[in-house]
């Protein structure tokens, strides 16, 4: 065993494992040189050889690249400098260490070799053990560098994964903040609505009382008018016969009463809506038709504004177990989207309920004849902040929020749409108990 053999054993760290395909390539046009170098290295390395620069390049490109190349300079057709240059230009081969082994021993030759990217330069005639030691050192360095690169790239991958996780967390936090702001706005709005509705109710009561007393007084005045005013005078004072004037007056009282009652109901419902928004939602057995009805109370003005063709079709459906207010909010979001999608009042919106016996669910379908959703947007509409309504203040959280609420109530929200024809949004909820049996 030579001193170098001993060095290999003691100096080979376990992490510098050699792969089964690793080899050292000798490139020389003189078979004698190949033999001598091969014998020098064959105990420690797998050795292959090429007899010209062109053969060497072909071999390297077509199979596994070598761990190191021992390269002669003076060869016919393509000299060693050109081979080295070609290797260093190619990203796939530029990392392979090259040692020139040559009879050209002038400093400028050596300098040129190093300039071209060689890691070492051995002049002939050479000492075999020293060449073996140099090859060993450079191969070890290369293996070490390869492992370092692998390690760094695995660290980079981990960093990238972590970065992705952080981005996701940041998006989630951002979304939660927005939802919180939304909830806070709703609660502030609720308090304001509650105050305003109190004021309005006071005023409404005042109007109602005044209208009632006016009506009472009017009833007392009628006989006097009838006694004292004949038809000619009536034409003069009221522009019409007394009878018609009396009817009109009575109708006006009815209209005042009805209007005032409507104001009262709307204010009550508004107050109730915001009160429920702030409540903790409990799951109860509910009739989806009722939820639709109450959602439509709020939506009535928006619907009136966007279509002259609105229809609700209720089917007798089983109860579902669901948070009333959450379902109401989902219906409001989806009907609002349908209203926004219409291009003119002749386009229709239909809301209908169906009992889907095949999978025992209750379906709420909101169908519009609006612009439709282009295929490329279909997968995005569930994403937070995806909106095509930036110019009209869309926030792009309506569907995302609705989807969450429907899922929370064990249901499913789906869309089918055709661009230019319209959209059907379907909420499916598990049917719970038949009405009348529960
Ligand atoms: N019925 C529909 N017809 C056509 N496009 C629709 C319909 N419903 C939803 N979209 C598309 O999906 C997008 C996302 O809807 P989403 O309700 O989440 O947000 P938005 O309506 O834009 O804003 P907001 O948060 O105020 O509801 C809309 O901007 C629109 O492009
Ligand atoms: Mg919306």
């Amino acid at each position: 065993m030579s001193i170098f053999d001993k060095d290999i054993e003691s100096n080979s760290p376990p992490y510098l494992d050699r792969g089964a395909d690793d080899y050292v390539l000798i490139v020389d046009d003189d078979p004698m040189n190949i033999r001598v170098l091969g014998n020098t290295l064959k105990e420690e390395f797998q050795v292959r050889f090429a007899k010209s620069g062109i053969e060497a390049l072909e071999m390297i490109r077509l199979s596994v690249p070598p761990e190191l190349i021992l390269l002669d300079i003076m060869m016919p057709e393509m000299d060693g400098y050109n081979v080295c240059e070609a290797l260093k230009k190619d990203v796939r081969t530029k990392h392979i260490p090259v040692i020139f082994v040559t009879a050209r021993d002038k400093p400028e030759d050596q300098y040129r070799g190093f300039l071209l990217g060689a890691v070492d330069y051995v002049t002939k005639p050479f000492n075999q053990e020293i060449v073996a030691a140099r090859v060993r050192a450079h191969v070890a360095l290369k293996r070490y560098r390869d492992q370092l690169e692998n390690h760094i790239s695995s660290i980079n991958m981990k960093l990238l994964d972590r970065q992705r996780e952080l981005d996701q967390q940041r998006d989630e936090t951002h979304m939660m903040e927005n939802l919180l702001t939304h909830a806070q706005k709703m609660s502030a709005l609720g308090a304001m609505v509650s105050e305003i509705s109190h004021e309005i109710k006071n005023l409404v009561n005042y109007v109602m009382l005044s209208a009632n007393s006016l009506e009472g007084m009017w009833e007392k005045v009628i006989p006097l008018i009838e006694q004292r005013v004949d038809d000619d005078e009536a034409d003069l004072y009221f522009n019409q016969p007394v009878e018609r004037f009396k009817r009109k007056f009575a109708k006006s009282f009815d209209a005042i009463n009805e209007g005032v009652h409507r104001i009262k109901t709307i204010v009550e419902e508004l107050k109730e809506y915001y009160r429920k928004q702030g409540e903790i939602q409990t799951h109860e057995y509910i009739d989806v038709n009722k939820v639709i009805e109450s959602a439509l109370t709020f939506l009535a003005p928006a619907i009136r504004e966007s279509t002259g063709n609105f229809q609700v079709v209720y089917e007798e459906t089983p109860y579902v177990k669901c948070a009333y207010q959450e379902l109401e909010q989902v219906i409001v979001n989806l009907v609002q989207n349908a209203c926004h999608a219409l291009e003119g009042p002749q386009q229709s919106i239909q809301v209908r309920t169906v009992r889907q016996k095949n999978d025992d669910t209750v379906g709420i379908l909101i169908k519009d004849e609006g612009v439709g959703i282009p295929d490329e947007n279909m997968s995005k509409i569930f994403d937070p902040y995806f909106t095509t309504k930036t110019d009209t203040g869309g926030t792009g959280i309506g569907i995302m929020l609705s989807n969450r609420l429907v899922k929370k109530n064990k249901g499913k929200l789906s869309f089918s749409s055709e661009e230019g024809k319209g959209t059907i949004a379907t909420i499916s909820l598990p049917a719970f108990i038949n009405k009348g049996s529960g």
Side-chain angles (χ1 to χ4, degrees):
M1 189 187 277
S2 74
I3 51 163
F4 297 112
D5 292 332
K6 243 199 250 153
D7 277 357
I8 300 164
E9 278 183 3
S10 58
N11 288 346
S12 290
Y15 52 80
L16 296 180
D17 286 342
R18 197 179 104 180
D21 291 330
D22 292 340
Y23 67 96
V24 170
L25 177 65
I26 301 168
V27 189
D28 204 311
D29 59 330
D30 182 348
M32 189 59 195
N33 285 341
I34 293 180
R35 194 167 308 125
V36 176
L37 274 172
N39 284 337
T40 309
L41 302 172
K42 72 180 182 198
E43 279 185 24
E44 290 176 51
F45 304 97
Q46 278 195 66
V47 180
R48 290 187 203 169
F49 63 87
K51 283 189 283 183
S52 75
I54 294 172
E55 190 190 332
L57 288 178
E58 231 173 55
M59 196 169 149
I60 294 167
R61 280 176 193 148
L62 293 179
S63 67
V64 186
E67 284 200 287
L68 181 136
I69 301 170
L70 289 165
L71 185 58
D72 183 25
I73 293 180
M74 287 174 295
M75 292 182 289
E77 287 180 52
M78 191 177 197
D79 71 15
Y81 292 134
N82 287 330
V83 176
C84 185
E85 206 171 2
L87 289 168
K88 297 298 162 190
K89 265 191 197 152
D90 189 333
V91 279
R92 290 165 301 173
T93 56
K94 69 183 212 185
H95 303 298
I96 307 169
V98 172
I99 300 178
F100 281 116
V101 184
T102 175
R104 293 173 72 144
D105 58 358
K106 290 200 191 107
E108 59 266 33
D109 296 328
Q110 298 196 21
Y111 181 66
R112 186 172 169 203
F114 283 117
L115 216 60
L116 286 171
V119 291
D120 212 342
Y121 198 101
V122 175
T123 51
K124 293 176 192 168
F126 52 76
N127 175 308
Q128 292 188 0
E129 287 182 331
I130 289 181
V131 169
R134 286 184 163 175
V135 169
R136 197 181 304 132
H138 286 298
V139 165
L141 258 175
K142 176 178 183 283
R143 289 180 189 168
Y144 190 65
R145 196 194 59 212
D146 287 351
Q147 293 201 349
L148 211 62
E149 274 173 8
N150 284 342
H151 191 59
I152 289 172
S153 84
S154 99
I155 288 178
N156 280 342
M157 293 293 281
K158 277 187 197 147
L159 276 175
L160 217 71
D161 283 348
R162 184 75 193 120
Q163 185 62 45
R164 255 184 238 126
E165 263 172 41
L166 284 174
D167 285 350
Q168 220 174 336
Q169 277 169 10
R170 195 201 50 216
D171 286 352
E172 275 276 310
T173 315
H174 186 56
M175 200 173 73
M176 292 314 287
E177 279 169 4
N178 274 309
L179 290 179
L180 196 68
T181 315
H182 178 75
Q184 281 166 344
K185 266 192 213 155
M186 286 304 262
S187 127
L189 215 59
M192 202 173 80
V193 165
S194 170
E195 264 179 45
I196 295 175
S197 50
H198 188 72
E199 285 287 310
I200 294 177
K201 263 167 70 183
N202 282 346
L203 291 173
V204 163
N205 282 339
Y206 187 63
V207 173
M208 263 169 93
L209 283 175
S210 308
N212 282 345
S213 87
L214 206 62
E215 201 174 359
M217 288 192 264
W218 171 244
E219 270 158 18
K220 287 183 189 143
V221 172
I222 291 174
L224 296 178
I225 292 177
E226 282 172 340
Q227 269 174 28
R228 297 175 182 233
V229 181
D230 61 24
D231 270 354
D232 287 345
E233 283 168 327
D235 260 343
L236 191 67
Y237 294 135
F238 314 125
N239 279 335
Q240 57 201 311
V242 173
E243 272 313 309
R244 201 184 309 154
F245 180 66
K246 265 171 55 190
R247 276 203 307 277
K248 268 198 174 172
F249 225 96
K251 251 185 163 174
S252 299
F253 281 125
D254 287 348
I256 291 172
N257 270 326
E258 200 189 309
V260 162
H261 269 112
R262 267 193 61 72
I263 293 173
K264 254 186 126 174
T265 322
I266 289 171
V267 167
E268 282 295 337
E269 273 165 1
L270 255 179
K271 207 173 136 189
E272 187 63 7
Y273 179 79
Y274 283 100
R275 189 185 64 75
K276 280 190 196 160
Q277 290 274 337
E279 261 180 10
I280 294 181
Q281 294 288 302
T282 51
H283 290 66
E284 48 199 328
Y285 297 110
I286 55 166
D287 177 353
V288 293
N289 294 341
K290 292 238 164 69
V291 187
I292 294 174
E293 248 170 57
S294 80
L296 292 180
T297 326
F298 302 107
L299 289 162
I303 294 171
R304 256 200 311 275
E305 227 171 74
S306 44
T307 180
N309 201 347
F310 180 76
Q311 200 191 11
V312 199
V313 183
Y314 293 124
E315 194 175 289
E316 186 68 15
T317 52
Y319 287 108
V320 295
K321 195 169 184 221
C322 179
Y324 189 100
Q325 191 61 33
E326 289 174 354
L327 182 59
E328 188 178 35
Q329 196 182 337
V330 173
I331 296 167
V332 169
N333 284 345
L334 298 179
V335 176
Q336 266 173 348
N337 280 350
C339 290
H340 296 156
L342 300 190
E343 291 177 304
Q346 74 289 353
Q347 293 182 330
S348 70
I349 296 178
Q350 189 195 61
V351 178
R352 61 178 303 157
T353 49
V354 282
R355 166 160 208 188
Q356 290 153 329
K357 285 206 170 118
N358 54 343
D359 57 355
D360 217 7
T361 56
V362 173
I364 303 168
L365 278 68
I366 295 136
K367 182 177 169 198
D368 69 69
E369 288 182 337
V371 289
I373 304 168
D375 284 347
E376 67 268 22
N377 287 353
M378 224 26 177
S379 59
K380 300 183 198 152
I381 58 172
F382 288 93
D383 293 346
Y385 313 121
F386 174 76
T387 180
T388 52
K389 306 176 197 162
T390 32
D391 47 344
T392 49
T395 52
I397 58 170
I399 292 181
M400 184 275 300
L401 208 64
S402 302
N403 191 38
R404 274 194 180 190
L405 292 177
V406 173
K407 271 194 191 157
K408 193 173 147 204
N409 287 285
K410 312 260 183 302
K412 207 178 137 213
L413 175 64
S414 59
F415 290 82
S416 74
S417 184
E418 201 176 329
E419 209 177 341
K421 292 234 166 118
T423 303
I424 305 176
T426 307
I427 307 162
S428 290
L429 293 161
F432 223 77
I433 31 174
N434 282 322
K435 286 174 194 164
S437 69

